[in-house]
Amino acid sequence: MPATSRFSKTLILLLVLLILIASSVLAQPVNAAEPPPMKKILILNAQTPEFPIHTIFTKAVKDEMLRLGYTNIEYYSEYLELNLYQTEPNYIDSLSQLLKQKYTTNKPDVIMVNGVYGAPFMIQYGKQLFPGVPVVITSNDFEGFSDMQLPADYSGISGIMDLSKSIQLILNNHSGTKKIDIIIGASEIEVKLMATFKKKANFYSDKVTFEYLNELSFPQILETVHNTDPHTAILVLYIYKDAAGTNFVPSKASREVTQSANAPVYGIYEPYLGVGIVGGNLLSFAVLGKKAAAQAIDFLAGNRTYDKIIEKVPASAAAHSNFGL
């Protein structure tokens, strides 16, 4: 057999062999990269579901986690309803038992706490209910949260409101204002807020007088703002529980105030903007949610950058609606 013919056959055999080897390699299953394990975040909302702050906060947390690439998150939410029942006999014990039963086996990787009364509850009971789980707490500065001592594996965000800016905003928008009616309830948390506000109001005592309606029932508050004096403005701080002991969702109560008032109404919380107030220097729960997400990510990464630290966050800004201007 000629040498060229033998060479051609050998070359063909080699090509066939290479094709078979390549086909065999390509036929092997490709092992896809293992997806990252799912993480569980439990959001404990201190009040009832009617409070819009919880919806705003939760959306901000989820949006920020997605923006930062954390798509492998399972979210769980609970409403502690402390605004209604925390003083009821055995309520805290029953609530604690329920939380422990639900999350002992379904253990979260991080817990977030949002809303007034949530911080004291978690600091007192959290270690017992969720041992070994890091916790991020958000609250308002007037609750005294900034001065609380956090245990290990806990961090916090304290939303700072500059209440004096709401006063100044009223005076800037309504130069003839001689009196500001202050709408606030009579609960323990509202007493603290009123004390904080009065310190700010003292700087304006030569420009305007302040009338505090905290000793009135809610129907009396509505009657007062309906029959208000000329050259008066209204500032809604918080309506959590009136002097008669009736509980309220602050944003819903604020809507009733704006509907009854014969004067421009301002507020200090972002959810008030959609219920008829003119505006105010409003605390943003979206800002608090974004900050909480950042601290939660730090814990999920195994870091302890914010361990036992309460981060003070300026979380308010001037905002207006088209009402009353």
Side-chain angles (χ1 to χ4, degrees):
M1 181 182 294
T4 55
S5 177
R6 288 198 302 272
F7 177 76
S8 297
K9 287 184 176 181
T10 302
L11 183 60
I12 291 170
L13 288 172
L14 286 172
L15 288 172
V16 170
L17 182 61
L18 287 172
I19 291 171
L20 290 173
I21 292 172
S23 299
S24 175
V25 170
L26 292 173
Q28 295 295 321
V30 177
N31 291 325
E34 287 291 328
M38 294 296 293
K39 297 292 185 180
K40 299 175 183 178
I41 292 180
L42 171 60
I43 300 178
L44 297 179
N45 302 293
Q47 287 93 12
T48 55
E50 292 85 1
F51 278 65
I53 63 170
H54 298 316
T55 302
I56 296 169
F57 176 84
T58 299
K59 183 179 185 303
V61 167
K62 291 181 178 180
D63 288 348
E64 185 68 0
M65 297 293 268
L66 282 174
R67 188 184 73 83
L68 296 174
Y70 281 76
T71 57
N72 58 325
I73 304 291
E74 289 181 345
Y75 293 95
Y76 299 83
S77 293
E78 299 287 345
Y79 293 91
L80 306 183
E81 302 190 347
L82 296 172
N83 57 306
L84 296 180
Y85 304 118
Q86 69 169 340
T87 59
E88 294 293 321
N90 303 320
Y91 178 72
I92 296 298
D93 289 341
S94 298
L95 175 63
S96 299
Q97 185 177 357
L98 176 63
L99 291 173
K100 197 166 187 176
Q101 184 178 13
K102 292 181 72 172
Y103 295 103
T104 295
T105 54
N106 188 27
K107 186 176 180 179
D109 295 287
V110 173
I111 295 171
M112 294 182 176
V113 183
N114 174 46
V116 171
Y117 298 125
F121 172 82
M122 203 62 189
I123 291 172
Q124 184 170 353
Y125 299 102
K127 286 292 185 181
Q128 174 189 348
L129 297 176
F130 308 101
V133 179
V135 175
V136 179
I137 301 173
T138 60
S139 188
N140 299 321
D141 188 52
F142 68 78
E143 189 181 8
F145 180 49
S146 298
D147 299 322
M148 294 182 185
Q149 298 296 314
L150 298 182
D153 297 328
Y154 279 46
S155 68
I157 300 105
S158 183
I160 306 299
M161 294 184 291
D162 191 340
L163 296 171
S164 62
K165 288 185 177 180
S166 289
I167 300 172
Q168 189 60 55
L169 193 63
I170 291 172
L171 298 180
N172 290 345
N173 289 342
H174 310 279
S175 57
T177 300
K178 297 179 180 178
K179 180 168 72 78
I180 300 177
D181 285 344
I182 306 301
I183 309 297
I184 191 167
S187 68
E188 179 184 355
I189 197 69
E190 288 163 299
V191 170
K192 291 181 180 179
L193 174 56
M194 187 168 65
T196 301
F197 179 83
K198 283 184 175 181
K199 292 177 183 178
K200 300 290 185 180
N202 285 338
F203 292 99
Y204 294 88
S205 59
D206 60 335
K207 298 180 176 66
V208 65
T209 60
F210 297 91
E211 183 173 345
Y212 297 88
L213 307 185
N214 57 299
E215 295 183 355
L216 302 180
S217 67
F218 190 61
Q220 290 172 326
I221 289 174
L222 295 181
E223 182 180 359
T224 300
V225 298
H226 182 71
N227 299 312
T228 190
D229 301 329
H231 307 293
T232 297
I234 298 164
L235 178 59
V236 180
L237 297 183
Y238 214 59
I239 310 174
Y240 212 63
K241 179 182 290 187
D242 70 1
T246 305
N247 292 301
F248 295 91
V249 175
S251 58
K252 291 183 178 180
S254 298
R255 182 186 297 277
E256 292 191 51
V257 169
T258 61
Q259 291 172 345
S260 297
N262 282 322
V265 181
Y266 286 73
I268 63 171
Y269 285 109
E270 190 177 49
Y272 293 176
L273 198 59
V275 300
I277 68 167
V278 173
N281 196 58
L282 307 178
L283 181 70
S284 171
F285 292 91
V287 170
L288 299 182
K290 289 179 66 175
K291 288 289 185 179
Q295 290 193 8
I297 287 172
D298 188 74
F299 278 127
L300 289 173
N303 301 323
R304 292 295 184 269
T305 306
Y306 301 97
D307 193 31
K308 298 197 287 188
I309 292 174
I310 297 175
E311 184 181 4
K312 295 183 179 181
V313 176
S316 61
H320 292 89
S321 69
N322 294 322
F323 294 98
L325 280 176

